[in-house]
Amino acid sequence: MSFVEYGDTIKDGDTAIVFLGHESMFPVKVQHGSVTQTKYGVIRHSTDLIGKKYGSKVTCSKGGWVFILHPTPELWTMNLPHRTQILYSTDISIITMMLELKPGSIVCESGTGSGSLSHALIRTVAPTGHLYTVEFHQQRAEKAREEFREHGVEHLVTVTNQDVCKNGFGVSNVADAVFLDIPSPWEAIGHAKSALKAEGGRICSFSPCIEQVQRTCLAMEESGFTEINTLEILLRVYNVRTVSLQIPDLGKAAEDNSSTGLDSSSPSHQGSSCANLQQGTVQFKSGVPLREVVGHTGYLTFATKS
């Protein structure tokens, strides 16, 4: 099993996603002899998982069922254990596009955190690229190495435990792109410039506060970066539902009333009018934005090494 190469069957030691519904799923490490508890009952790894195809429908001990999915960076972002605040697919997608990443690209990242962006970067640069990721916290760095090894991508990533603001990324003039997600990114701009290739390399800095963005932009200008711009990605989700509306009255009913001489104030006439209005409805699909929308996550500042 690898996060960058699809496997057909579930094997002992794989990381799989147990899918109970769109709002309910979790990762599980498949191990011979182990069991996993769900609200639908027990899943026995030896008989229910190992040897089955990914995407299979598995019946639990209580009669309910779940799907077992192959892990992807997107699914891992939704289910990973949070060691820090993470980036979600909304920001990750624009980062990979604006950094112009492709298979074979060399990327430097700081900090690693929970590894949400790291998995997406590895999938993007595979099979011939490489990710150099730096994490200041020793335990988080060790946990990231362990996860990369379990997910079959350790050959595509190098994890370093050091302070990027003081010691840099450990490489020089090789990176196609640099990503910074640290409290003081302006202190690492010089090291980022040194890690980037001679010309045309891209840099991105993620910051939640506009004051951080201001200092980072000044540092980029002083280091000779060009095409500096800052983006804020806001996702607006629409709820699609069926709506019933009455067909508008274009005057035909009024003409019929005048010709027949019916009294519109009589109870019998009011009842027939209500019946006609109930019958004259049409159903169609409508998109309505959700009442609560996820707002600001952070600012993304991009620049190019000239």
Side-chain angles (χ1 to χ4, degrees):
M1 186 278 302
S2 172
F3 271 52
V4 298
E5 297 176 0
Y6 182 78
D8 190 41
T9 58
I10 305 170
K11 299 180 178 62
D12 187 14
D14 282 3
T15 297
I17 305 297
V18 180
F19 181 89
L20 291 82
H22 289 289
E23 302 297 330
S24 179
M25 63 185 88
F26 59 89
V28 62
K29 185 174 181 180
V30 180
Q31 293 179 317
H32 185 76
S34 297
V35 296
T36 297
Q37 295 282 351
T38 74
K39 63 181 180 181
Y40 301 125
V42 174
I43 301 174
R44 296 173 176 83
H45 294 197
S46 300
T47 57
D48 297 333
L49 299 183
I50 297 177
K52 300 289 183 64
K53 287 187 176 183
Y54 278 106
S56 297
K57 183 179 180 180
V58 174
T59 303
C60 305
S61 60
K62 293 182 179 179
W65 48 266
V66 298
F67 287 104
I68 308 300
L69 305 181
H70 192 283
T72 64
E74 290 77 15
L75 289 175
W76 185 245
T77 291
M78 298 172 62
N79 296 280
L80 58 80
H82 285 227
R83 299 182 289 272
T84 60
Q85 291 288 341
I86 69 169
L87 291 177
Y88 291 91
S89 298
T90 306
D91 290 312
I92 291 174
S93 59
I94 198 70
I95 289 169
T96 54
M97 182 187 74
M98 295 294 290
L99 290 181
E100 302 173 5
L101 301 181
K102 59 186 181 299
S105 296
I106 306 297
V107 186
C108 292
E109 176 197 24
S110 182
T112 311
S114 301
S116 173
L117 176 64
S118 303
H119 282 81
L121 294 177
I122 292 170
R123 196 263 308 273
T124 303
V125 304
T128 56
H130 201 84
L131 171 66
Y132 295 90
T133 182
V134 179
E135 174 55 52
F136 175 79
H137 194 275
Q138 182 179 359
Q139 291 181 339
R140 289 201 292 262
E142 292 173 354
K143 185 61 178 178
R145 290 193 191 98
E146 179 184 343
E147 286 180 350
F148 293 142
R149 183 170 58 254
E150 291 178 352
H151 299 165
V153 296
E154 71 276 9
H155 62 291
L156 296 170
V157 57
T158 299
V159 182
T160 305
N161 173 220
Q162 64 186 28
D163 187 351
V164 70
C165 297
K166 295 180 179 179
N167 307 113
F169 294 93
V171 296
S172 299
N173 302 320
V174 297
D176 297 289
V178 170
F179 177 79
L180 298 174
D181 184 6
I182 54 179
S184 53
W186 55 89
E187 296 180 1
I189 296 300
H191 294 296
K193 184 178 180 180
S194 299
L196 288 169
K197 59 187 181 182
E199 186 177 358
R202 295 279 287 167
I203 184 174
C204 174
S205 174
F206 176 90
S207 298
C209 301
I210 196 63
E211 292 81 7
Q212 294 170 304
V213 174
Q214 292 171 333
R215 297 189 65 174
T216 302
C217 289
L218 289 174
M220 288 179 176
E221 289 181 353
E222 293 173 356
S223 296
F225 283 90
T226 59
E227 300 178 345
I228 302 173
N229 63 88
T230 300
L231 308 177
E232 182 183 23
I233 310 302
L234 301 177
L235 180 64
R236 190 177 189 187
V237 180
Y238 278 77
N239 181 25
V240 179
R241 61 186 183 184
T242 302
V243 179
S244 297
L245 291 180
Q246 294 177 353
I247 298 175
D249 182 4
L250 301 179
K252 188 172 187 275
E255 295 175 0
D256 293 342
N257 291 343
S258 60
S259 62
T260 57
L262 291 176
D263 183 6
S264 61
S265 62
S266 65
S268 60
H269 179 71
Q270 290 178 353
S272 62
S273 298
C274 292
N276 291 335
L277 288 176
Q278 291 177 355
Q279 293 176 357
T281 60
V282 62
Q283 292 185 339
F284 61 95
K285 296 293 184 180
S286 176
V288 180
L290 302 180
R291 293 190 176 185
E292 295 183 1
V293 180
V294 177
H296 173 76
T297 58
Y299 300 103
L300 294 169
T301 301
F302 297 91
T304 303
K305 182 179 179 180
S306 60

